[in-house]
Amino acid sequence: MLTIGNIYGHGFDRSQLARLEALGFVFRPEASTYMGSQVCHFLDFPVGPSLELVEVTDQPDYESFVPPGMEPYCPGISLVVDGGSPAAFDAYERDFATLGPYRLHVPYRAGTGSEAPGWHYLNFARPVVPGTFVWLTAFDESKPIPATRTRHANGVRAISGLVFDLDCAGLASLSRLAGQPLVSGELQIGDVAVTAVEAGATGRQFPLRAVVLKADNLDGFAPDLRSDDAPARVMGRATRCIETNPSSWDLWITT
């Protein structure tokens, strides 16, 4: 069984982060840095996955870092293996050999040596989903202390969905990897509904069109944060749309 650990997107500079803060989101106090000159800012929620908003500070360094299977600046989804054990990777490597799986280990603390406890990643040289970097994550013991589950001033409490501008075939490998059926263009990974919706031109550089967030109500979001087309039809209820940048996903807020 897999669950979604976090979803990341690129292109979030200081002005975009400030805009989200003005809309009532509260970022994790500390930013993180990752290979490829990536500065990562996190939005955590009372339950479920986190959002990781990435700013690249050195473009040549980032582009030299990009691993096999990752299209530069594409969004990404971390799938956490049940129980978090790296031993589970063995079965995934056998079952998904056609996707070119390969492992990466990153110690929890810098300077502790390559064999020190850390995160284990199973990446795929051939994308699980077009234009999206999907990988598996496992943890050595003792695991890092989980981030504080933030409550946001705008009442957003969880990620409830991911919307891809793809046909059903585009999610077939993800369905098989997650071990969940794809029914009428939708599959469920933990508490997150992953949906394929062919929408045509959306202004997105990559197929992950939107991350759907669930809020207590929409009172904290101005009525002009709306879309009269896809969000209303897909979600079947009142929706606010926060546009971000072309290389990332938009945020659709619903109740």
Side-chain angles (χ1 to χ4, degrees):
M1 178 180 176
L2 300 175
T3 56
I4 297 178
N6 67 290
I7 300 125
Y8 74 70
H10 282 93
F12 289 91
D13 58 19
R14 173 49 55 186
S15 65
Q16 292 196 44
L17 299 177
R19 177 173 177 248
L20 291 172
E21 288 177 321
L23 289 170
F25 289 100
V26 178
F27 283 91
R28 191 183 297 179
E30 68 283 354
S32 300
T33 58
Y34 193 67
M35 293 179 288
S37 297
Q38 297 176 89
V39 180
C40 310
H41 302 268
F42 290 86
L43 290 174
D44 303 302
F45 301 97
V47 295
S50 300
L51 283 180
E52 183 178 353
L53 284 63
V54 183
E55 180 181 11
V56 173
T57 58
D58 186 318
Q59 184 172 333
D61 184 44
Y62 169 76
E63 293 181 355
S64 67
F65 146 80
V66 174
M70 178 188 288
E71 190 172 347
Y73 302 102
C74 74
I77 302 169
S78 169
L79 300 176
V80 180
V81 300
D82 188 25
S85 171
F89 284 173
D90 295 344
Y92 287 104
E93 285 181 315
R94 291 192 303 270
D95 294 345
F96 295 90
T98 58
L99 294 179
Y102 64 96
R103 300 194 190 203
L104 179 68
H105 175 247
V106 178
Y108 293 139
R109 290 176 294 278
T112 54
S114 60
E115 302 302 316
W119 295 277
H120 291 260
Y121 303 125
L122 185 65
N123 297 346
F124 299 94
R126 286 176 284 284
V128 176
V129 177
T132 310
F133 192 66
V134 177
W135 77 99
L136 303 185
T137 301
F139 309 90
D140 284 323
E141 297 293 348
S142 296
K143 299 177 185 178
I145 298 172
T148 301
R149 290 303 180 181
T150 305
R151 294 194 174 275
H152 299 277
N154 55 26
V156 171
R157 62 181 185 274
I159 297 170
S160 61
L162 301 176
V163 179
F164 285 89
D165 184 16
L166 293 170
D167 59 17
C168 293
L171 295 184
S173 292
L174 180 62
S175 173
R176 192 164 72 91
L177 183 67
Q180 298 297 325
L182 181 63
V183 179
S184 299
E186 183 174 304
L187 66 107
Q188 194 77 24
I189 304 179
D191 294 326
V192 179
V194 182
T195 307
V197 179
E198 292 184 271
T202 63
R204 301 286 94 199
Q205 185 176 347
F206 299 103
L208 181 48
R209 185 180 181 192
V211 174
V212 184
L213 303 178
K214 182 178 288 188
D216 295 326
N217 55 65
L218 299 180
D219 295 347
F221 298 95
D224 60 345
L225 289 174
R226 68 181 184 273
S227 175
D228 296 325
D229 48 20
R233 291 202 306 269
V234 172
M235 303 310 301
R237 57 177 69 91
T239 306
R240 301 290 186 264
C241 177
I242 301 174
E243 295 183 355
T244 60
N245 66 82
S247 65
S248 189
W249 19 256
D250 286 337
L251 295 172
W252 293 353
I253 318 295
T254 190
T255 57

